[in-house]
Structures are given as C-alpha cells and as structure tokens.
Amino acid sequence: MLFSLYGFPLLVYRIHELFYPIKEGISYLGTKEYSPWWGSHQIQVIYIAFPALETLLRLIPGAFSIWLRLWGAKVGKSVYWTPQLEIADRGLVEIGDRVIFGHGVGIYSHIIKPRKNDLMLYVKKVKIGTNVFLGAWNHVGPGVAVEDETYVPVATHLYPNKKFSKD
C-alpha cells in the first residue's frame, strides 16, 4: 500500500524524467507536441489532490526534505516545513539551509496563461536562499529567487522572475 502511494508515482516520475526532461522556458499546451511538464504534473497531482499524503511526511523530522530530493529538488539542511505547504513542481525547486516556511505557503514553478487560441506555459525553477523566512500565505511563482538572509512578509505574492532581497 505504501509503495503504491509513495514509491510507484516517484518511480514513474523518474522514468518519465529520463525520457522527457522538463525544459525551462515558454511552450504551448494546445499543440500536438507532448509537454514533458504536463506529464510530470499529472504524476504529481495525487499529492496536490490529497495533501495529507505529504503532510504525514512533514511530521517526521527530515523526511519531507528527503522526499523532495528523491523528486529531484535541491534541499538544504534544517528546513522547517509547515503542514499546509504546497509545492506544485517538486523537481523544480532549490532551497538553502535553515529555511522556514510559514502556514499556507505555495511554490509554483509554472504558470499557464491564455494566449490567442492557445495556452502558454512558462516553467522556471524557484530558488530560495539560506536563512530565509517565508511568512504565512506567501505565493512564489516561477523563476523567483529569494536571496540569503531574507524575511518575506506574510501574504506576499512573488511574481514570476522576481528577485527578493532583504533590502
């Protein structure tokens, strides 16, 4: 049972990544060309639909960080994960040491916007430095870089490609 909830999706994701690596940048979802991001997202959607599956991992010190690393994320030491955190694209985050995530933080390495008769997909890694505190209900978009030693206030929306520093 545990393998079907945690191991099998992870195994499928890793195999998918071998053949269809996610490319950063702009693409369109309405074309006949296969979208590696779309496939990757569909494999991970179980954890968005049922967040309790990952919340259980956050109750065990260090387990959630290891879990994200298995998906391809770069995660430092001594990271504090609150129970209601959402990460939409696990393999597209880089997190430094001693980072604290407030309640309800969302990290999204992609956005989808309508463009003419198509849907534009923009994908870019999110990078969070060392000694960072992300206040409750922050939303972090694709390409965001939060510098070391930074406090991000409550309910801050970090829009795509924004650099956020302590100054």
Side-chain angles (χ1 to χ4, degrees), residues 49-127:
F50 301 103
L53 292 172
E54 287 188 330
T55 299
L56 291 172
L57 295 174
R58 289 187 207 115
L59 296 174
I60 305 165
F64 190 67
S65 293
I66 292 167
W67 172 248
L68 291 178
R69 288 182 197 116
L70 291 171
W71 287 90
K74 294 179 182 169
V75 180
K77 295 180 231 159
S78 301
V79 176
Y80 176 74
W81 309 98
T82 54
Q84 288 199 353
L85 170 83
E86 180 179 356
I87 300 177
D89 305 295
R90 285 150 193 75
L92 295 171
V93 293
E94 293 180 10
I95 298 164
D97 297 332
R98 295 172 305 283
V99 174
I100 297 173
F101 289 91
H103 184 78
V105 170
I107 300 174
Y108 311 100
S109 299
H110 74 277
I111 56 171
I112 299 172
K113 294 177 84 173
R115 290 288 161 131
K116 298 181 184 174
N117 294 329
D118 206 344
L119 293 173
M120 182 192 79
L121 169 68
Y122 179 65
V123 176
K124 193 166 182 186
K125 281 185 182 180
V126 170
K127 298 178 182 180

Side-chain angles (χ1 to χ4, degrees), residues 80 82 98-103 105 128-136 138 146-154 164:
Y80 176 74
T82 54
R98 295 172 305 283
V99 174
I100 297 173
F101 289 91
H103 184 78
V105 170
I128 298 169
T130 295
N131 293 322
V132 170
F133 182 92
L134 288 145
N138 281 198
V146 179
E147 291 185 4
D148 294 350
E149 311 285 335
T150 300
Y151 167 75
V152 183
V154 170
F164 199 89

Side-chain angles (χ1 to χ4, degrees), residues 23-75:
K23 297 178 185 114
E24 292 184 321
I26 294 173
S27 62
Y28 292 88
L29 295 175
T31 65
K32 292 183 184 205
E33 185 178 320
Y34 178 71
S35 169
W37 172 83
W38 185 259
S40 162
H41 189 71
Q42 293 306 306
I43 296 165
Q44 298 175 66
V45 81
I46 186 173
Y47 306 109
I48 296 168
F50 301 103
L53 292 172
E54 287 188 330
T55 299
L56 291 172
L57 295 174
R58 289 187 207 115
L59 296 174
I60 305 165
F64 190 67
S65 293
I66 292 167
W67 172 248
L68 291 178
R69 288 182 197 116
L70 291 171
W71 287 90
K74 294 179 182 169
V75 180

